[in-house]
Amino acid sequence: MDGREKNLHGQAGQPFLNPVEMQTLKSAVVAKARKKHGDILRDLYGEAVFDTIDRAYNAITFSISEFEKTEEFSPFDSKFDRVLKGEDTFTAQEALGLTLFKAEDKGNCAACHTVPTLANTKQESTFTDFSYDNLGVPRNDIVRGLNGKGYEFVDNGLFQNPLVNDAKLKGAFRVSTLRNIAVTAPYMHNGIFKDLKTVVHFYNTRDVDGALNPETWDPWRASEVDATKNTEELGDLKLTDAEEDALVAFMKTLTDSRYEDLIPD
Ligand code: HEC
């Protein structure tokens, strides 16, 4: 989400080793994969695949990234896709949600979370334009306390990438996909919000005096990176409570059919 990796293969190599994710060693990953999938790995990458730890780790993470490109990984068979193909119909509330999602004077979500059409290719079908933006999300103190970075650390997102020099990109994170969003809480790059409705309420009222975070009943906390936050497209959308609910109902339709039974009420 902070754009630190150039490609899927690089990304697939990160979580195993990251101290705040799986915190394991390349050698341990290789030993495990060799035991369970050694034959397949030799078949695919040749007998020499286990000659060095790096070579084997590379093969394992490459396999993961190739899997992520398959239709099994991204079936595009949610209710939204079925409606697009004329195989299903939205409820009135879901249809209202889609209208608000696209309307520039309402949610305007589609300005960043691109809405696919039948003519779109699958890559354009993930509800992101793959750009980066600073939404002014507050720091997650619980995570910051646990991950050893300390409270003084400022997460500048994309700007931490040494190839990025534009100071306007401080605090920018990648526009998230909204596929399966109803079943992938917590939300935002730092997991600050537990509920989808809270995310919508944040977009709607971040800059409204007296607005409260419904998860804490405190006012919205200050943005972690305030100077560069987007004030043009969010902060005071003037949506009603029913309109917020409709946006949530619409986003629930983006769930792959195999996960539909996980959608919270
Ligand atoms: C200006 C571009 C922009 C607009 C407009 C926008 N978003 Fe986002 N959205 C983002 C970015 C960037 C993130 C990731 C932010 C982060 O983690 O700091 C995000 C994250 C999210 C997430 C959390 C994703 C996750 O996996 O945690 C949800 C849900 C979401 N947006 C829904 C919406 C809805 C609903 C609207 C309209 C009311 C909307 N967005 C409008 C850019 C935008």
Side-chain angles (χ1 to χ4, degrees), residues 1 100-101 106-113 129 131-137 171-178 181 184 186-190 196 199-200 203-204 230 233-234 237 239 247 251:
M1 294 197 73
L100 298 167
F101 194 92
K106 288 290 185 177
N108 195 27
C109 319
C112 303
H113 300 283
D129 62 2
S131 67
Y132 290 75
D133 212 278
N134 177 6
L135 300 188
V137 171
F173 288 84
R174 222 239 323 259
V175 177
S176 317
T177 177
L178 298 182
I181 193 67
T184 52
Y187 300 113
M188 311 323 246
H189 65 273
N190 58 4
L196 208 43
V199 178
V200 178
Y203 277 102
N204 191 18
N230 185 331
E233 288 161 306
L234 66 144
L237 300 179
L239 301 173
L247 281 165
M251 286 191 280

Side-chain angles (χ1 to χ4, degrees), residues 29 53 67 146 171 183 186 245-246 250-251 262:
V29 176
I53 297 283
F67 170 63
L146 289 169
V183 299
D245 284 338
F250 165 66
M251 286 191 280
L262 301 176

